[in-house]
Amino acid sequence: MRIAVVGGTGTFGRALAARLHDLGHEVTIGSRDAGRAQEQAAAIGVEGGANADVVAEAEYIVLATASGAAIDTARDLKDAIGTRPVLCVASDLRFTKEGVLPARSQGSVAEDVAALLDGPVASGYQALPASHLARPDLLDQDVLVCGDDPAAKDPALEIGSHLVTGHAIDCGPLANSRALEGMTAVLLHVNRRYRVVAGLRLTGLP
């Protein structure tokens, strides 16, 4: 599959792009700075370019920008993305003295992205730590994905099943991204409190 990772020069995007490449996908990473994207892409053996250029040639798009930039990036790339399916991995978080908190009382980044774009949007991978994703071994956890349209959700589940030792779990409609994004705050707080890199695994699955 031809996959564009928008925000592929960031820690998470670069690690995911390398994994996708290892799985045999045709991967391009995008950035607002085409030169930076090409430099980072060369280091992991994939192609790179400006965001609008890489999404125009992709079959599937991962929106892996910094969370605060996800909505603006989706808006800027709406015409270039067209009706292609998108996976949004962002979480809207607030960092305070008390800990990491969800920044929203309603809605989710993924729902806002879906409202802007013409194609289907799924949400997922929020619980996958970039530091572990960058390693060659599978992550010892499950991967959670939600969405309203199989065109966006099914590829995310299929890819996710090759990233973890656990399950790739369909977590329901896109509105459940509110819970997935909020869980990121919980995991980051746990990481800080216990000095670990925590993941998620659901019990009771076959």
Side-chain angles (χ1 to χ4, degrees):
M1 185 186 300
R2 293 193 305 276
I3 303 175
V5 182
V6 175
T9 58
T11 304
F12 184 91
R14 187 169 60 250
L16 181 61
R19 287 281 186 140
L20 295 172
H21 175 61
D22 290 343
L23 290 172
H25 295 288
E26 184 180 336
V27 181
T28 55
I29 65 174
S31 172
R32 289 175 297 178
D33 182 338
R36 183 163 181 253
Q38 290 163 358
E39 179 182 347
Q40 296 279 347
I44 58 175
V46 301
E47 299 296 320
N51 284 331
D53 293 333
V54 302
V55 301
E57 299 176 355
E59 298 173 283
Y60 193 71
I61 297 155
V62 180
L63 186 58
T65 63
S67 295
I71 294 170
D72 287 341
T73 301
R75 182 182 294 110
D76 292 343
L77 295 177
K78 176 181 179 177
D79 290 342
I81 292 173
T83 59
R84 296 175 183 85
V86 171
L87 170 65
C88 178
V89 304
S91 296
D92 197 356
L93 305 174
R94 193 157 54 89
F95 295 84
T96 72
K97 292 185 297 182
E98 291 74 27
V100 185
L101 308 173
R104 292 167 172 249
S105 58
Q106 59 183 0
S108 66
V109 176
E111 288 174 287
D112 285 353
V113 167
L116 289 169
L117 299 179
D118 295 322
V121 174
S123 174
Y125 298 17
Q126 288 88 351
L128 300 183
S131 59
H132 285 186
L133 194 61
R135 299 175 183 176
D137 50 320
L138 299 179
L139 284 73
D140 185 22
Q141 62 181 94
D142 295 329
V143 63
L144 311 182
V145 178
C146 64
D148 298 328
D149 192 319
K153 184 160 59 173
D154 287 355
L157 289 167
E158 170 60 22
I159 291 166
S161 71
H162 298 286
L163 301 178
V164 298
T165 60
H167 299 83
I169 301 173
D170 183 341
C171 295
L174 190 63
N176 285 347
S177 183
R178 304 168 197 179
L180 298 188
E181 294 179 23
M183 185 57 67
T184 309
V186 175
L187 288 173
L188 290 178
H189 180 81
V190 169
N191 290 347
R192 288 184 169 192
R193 173 65 178 81
Y194 295 98
R195 300 183 184 279
V196 297
V197 182
L200 289 177
R201 189 183 286 272
L202 303 186
T203 62
L205 293 171

